[in-house]
Amino acid sequence: MCYAIPGQLIEIRENGGGVVDYFGEKRNILLDLSDAAVGDYVYAQGGILVRKISTEEALEILSLWKDKFFELKKMDERLSHFSESDLPANTLQILQKVNLKKPLSRQDMLALLKLEDPRELKVLYELANHIRHREHDNASCIHGIIEFSNHCRENCHYCGIRSDRVVKRYRMSVDEIIEVAQHAVDEYGFKALVLQSGEDPWYDEKKLVKIVSTLRAMGILVFLSIGMRDKELYQKLYQAGARAALLRFETSNEDIFRQLRPGASLHERLTLIKQLKSMGYIIATGFIAGLPDETPEDIVNNILLTQSLGPDMYSFGPLIPAIDTPLAAQSKLSIDAMLKIIALTRFVDPDSNILVTTALETLDASAKKIALLAGANSMMINVTPMEYRVFYQIYDNRADRNQTVKVGIQSALDLLYSLGRAPTDIGVVEATLTS
Ligand code: SAM
Ligand code: SF4
């Protein structure tokens, strides 16, 4: 099954970047580890060229896609209109600023976060979707995720696999991880895989280098989500071929951070995120929304702090209170509270990539669709073997707990197509190419 469209490399720049064309849509990419030349057909993921493919094969895939691509584009265009009729003057003024590409003040952001009227929210989400379309057209990106270990040395108060919690622990062996990844690439066509785990030093440099280099050789983007490991280890893993890292700072509020992550420091976490970026990693970062004592000002600070880190992808989701954790009794955010954060992020950082997280989907079964219509443009599909997935309980009743990989892919594709989105690459922000 093919669900990432190849593109043609039409430009190579001196800064290590290039431009890929998808039926006339241009995306910036990093050329990284490739001998590709202008005119070659390539696969890109997360804005990184991951593999060349033969012209013959590419043209065959593209001929199957051509009509569908333009049909999807038209549908997305239709669904991306917004109308600002009947809005109160204050909201109208702020949304007009957004539409005219003027920066929002903190007060504007707070005012939008406080909106409750369904008619105003509808326009807010429509405008966010309109801007997503303006910046990315109908491109969307799907990554796979393998949760390879639920052992963790940390004890974060929100997390269901924290070290104090009694859960059945598992570790996938190096060979098992490689086998699962190979299957995801060969059988399902994944071009990017996130490797996620608790903070588990059992996976030392030797094991992780072997995993990363083997996966990179499969022609995919290797995306790490392994927590606060040493900077030197991340450096070695970059050399081995890892190119993206997902590391949330969790909250911009130092007091909340200190309470919820005993023994850890927000400053150290932010320092590591910045170091990873300067090593060349594509960065996905963000926060958990709905933590105890969090204020609307914290949410605004969370969005602005994420933006200041220059991420290629925003990854934030609601707290899902996990049983037997200190936050088990915390109340959940509403879906509108989350959609407002997505829309606001799209306004603040128009060309950003915004992930729809499993936590959001767990909050509300229809969340994926409504989030994609409120400014989000990226998704992940769980490819962890079922026998382990049930034990990766960072919270309970995860939306993807019973979903096979095949069903996950099919429902993601059905959803994208129903919204007129094409699974092309989303490209990287220009800043990544020049930094
Ligand atoms: N251990 C690594 C780390 O902490 O960066 C990666 C795995 S950790 C499970 C991935 C993310 O899960 C964390 O960054 C955190 O934001 C999120 N998470 C943990 N518990 C959660 C909960 N109960 N609800 C929502 N998100 C949660
Ligand atoms: Fe461990 Fe990550 Fe969970 Fe914290 S959030 S307990 S570091 S798995």
Side-chain angles (χ1 to χ4, degrees):
M1 181 193 308
C2 176
Y3 48 89
I5 308 177
Q8 189 175 32
L9 188 61
I10 55 165
E11 189 182 328
I12 293 181
R13 299 192 190 142
E14 276 176 11
N15 61 8
V19 179
V20 170
D21 176 290
Y22 298 93
F23 296 115
E25 298 297 329
K26 314 275 186 290
R27 301 267 172 264
N28 291 318
I29 58 154
L30 284 164
L31 286 174
D32 188 56
L33 295 181
S34 172
D35 55 351
V38 168
D40 283 347
Y41 285 90
V42 298
Y43 280 120
Q45 278 285 289
I48 292 197
L49 191 161
V50 291
R51 199 189 302 168
K52 267 196 331 185
I53 68 163
S54 74
T55 302
E56 225 176 26
E57 197 187 340
L59 293 179
E60 198 183 317
I61 297 168
L62 291 175
S63 74
L64 292 174
W65 259 98
K66 195 163 193 266
D67 292 343
K68 176 111 183 150
F69 185 83
F70 288 104
E71 193 188 304
L72 290 172
K73 236 168 107 70
K74 267 197 214 145
M75 192 191 301
D76 183 36
E77 245 165 61
R78 233 185 13 253
L79 293 173
S80 309
H81 283 297
F82 84 104
S83 130
E84 52 188 36
S85 57
D86 295 340
L87 284 179
N90 185 35
T91 311
L92 184 61
Q93 208 180 14
I94 303 173
L95 295 188
Q96 279 173 343
K97 260 192 196 179
V98 172
N99 209 17
L100 294 171
K101 302 189 181 180
K102 291 191 178 152
L104 293 182
S105 66
R106 277 173 188 272
Q107 279 69 23
D108 293 334
M109 292 174 72
L110 282 169
L112 294 182
L113 275 183
K114 286 179 185 158
L115 292 183
E116 293 293 346
D117 180 335
R119 283 166 310 167
E120 289 180 80
L121 291 179
K122 181 170 176 285
V123 180
L124 185 81
Y125 305 151
E126 282 176 0
L127 179 58
N129 189 36
H130 178 75
I131 293 173
R132 184 273 317 151
H133 170 76
R134 184 187 76 198
E135 300 292 327
H136 288 287
D137 213 293
N138 69 338
S140 300
C141 207
I142 305 178
H143 297 164
I145 178 165
I146 304 176
E147 296 153 344
F148 63 92
S149 162
N150 72 351
H151 284 259
C152 189
R153 63 184 172 187
E154 293 293 321
N155 207 19
C156 309
H157 284 198
Y158 39 81
C159 182
I161 58 170
R162 63 201 295 264
S163 55
D164 272 4
R165 189 163 180 231
V166 181
V167 284
K168 186 172 165 16
R169 303 277 168 178
Y170 71 88
R171 285 188 179 109
M172 289 169 64
S173 71
V174 170
D175 289 345
E176 227 175 345
I177 297 169
I178 292 172
E179 203 182 302
V180 168
Q182 189 75 64
H183 189 69
V185 173
D186 294 347
E187 185 71 20
Y188 302 119
F190 280 95
K191 308 285 184 302
L193 288 175
V194 181
L195 295 172
Q196 191 177 86
S197 66
E199 255 176 58
D200 185 0
W202 184 82
Y203 296 91
D204 56 11
E205 183 185 312
K206 192 168 163 228
K207 292 187 180 87
L208 287 170
V209 164
K210 171 142 191 231
I211 297 166
V212 167
S213 55
T214 313
L215 266 59
R216 182 65 188 95
M218 295 173 193
I220 61 168
L221 174 69
V222 184
F223 210 133
L224 300 173
S225 176
I226 55 175
M228 292 287 291
R229 304 295 300 271
D230 290 343
K231 175 183 155 205
E232 291 69 27
L233 174 68
Y234 272 109
Q235 186 79 62
K236 289 269 165 41
L237 297 177
Y238 188 88
Q239 283 158 10
R243 285 295 176 270
L246 166 57
L247 190 68
R248 291 179 175 177
F249 55 81
E250 314 294 7
T251 171
S252 58
N253 182 316
E254 281 188 52
D255 292 335
I256 299 179
F257 189 98
R258 222 174 296 119
Q259 275 166 28
L260 300 183
R261 297 195 57 120
S265 114
L266 176 59
H267 175 73
E268 280 172 21
R269 201 150 171 109
L270 290 172
T271 303
L272 181 59
I273 296 169
K274 289 176 195 162
Q275 286 168 336
L276 294 177
K277 187 162 171 72
S278 53
M279 279 177 213
Y281 278 100
I282 292 262
I283 297 296
T285 189
F287 49 90
I288 305 182
L291 294 173
D293 302 324
E294 185 179 78
T295 61
E297 286 75 10
D298 289 325
I299 297 276
V300 167
N301 289 337
N302 284 344
I303 296 173
L304 293 175
L305 177 56
T306 315
Q307 184 195 22
S308 74
L309 294 167
D312 285 277
M313 185 178 282
Y314 283 71
S315 165
F316 53 79
L319 171 78
I320 306 291
I323 52 167
D324 298 335
T325 63
L327 301 194
Q330 178 70 13
S331 51
K332 284 188 202 163
L333 284 182
S334 69
I335 182 72
D336 273 320
M338 286 311 303
L339 295 176
K340 280 188 268 185
I341 300 175
I342 293 175
L344 207 49
T345 302
R346 177 61 64 204
F347 297 160
V348 168
D349 199 350
D351 67 353
S352 59
N353 294 307
I354 304 176
L355 184 67
V356 183
T357 57
T358 313
L360 185 64
E361 237 191 307
T362 304
L363 190 67
D364 182 318
S366 59
K368 235 183 206 167
K369 180 171 182 177
I370 48 185
L372 287 168
L373 288 171
N377 67 335
S378 180
M379 293 195 286
M380 282 195 194
I381 294 176
N382 199 334
V383 297
T384 311
M386 285 298 182
E387 61 190 292
Y388 298 121
R389 210 184 289 185
V390 286
F391 301 116
Y392 200 79
Q393 297 167 345
I394 54 176
Y395 42 80
D396 318 290
N397 299 319
R398 285 177 41 173
D400 58 5
R401 67 194 180 284
N402 296 319
Q403 196 178 54
T404 62
V405 182
K406 266 192 187 152
V407 171
I409 292 171
Q410 200 50 56
S411 61
L413 291 181
D414 289 347
L415 176 59
L416 287 183
Y417 297 161
S418 75
L419 299 178
R421 308 289 172 88
T424 50
D425 188 57
I426 45 184
V428 283
V429 289
E430 194 68 28
T432 305
L433 297 172
T434 48
S435 59

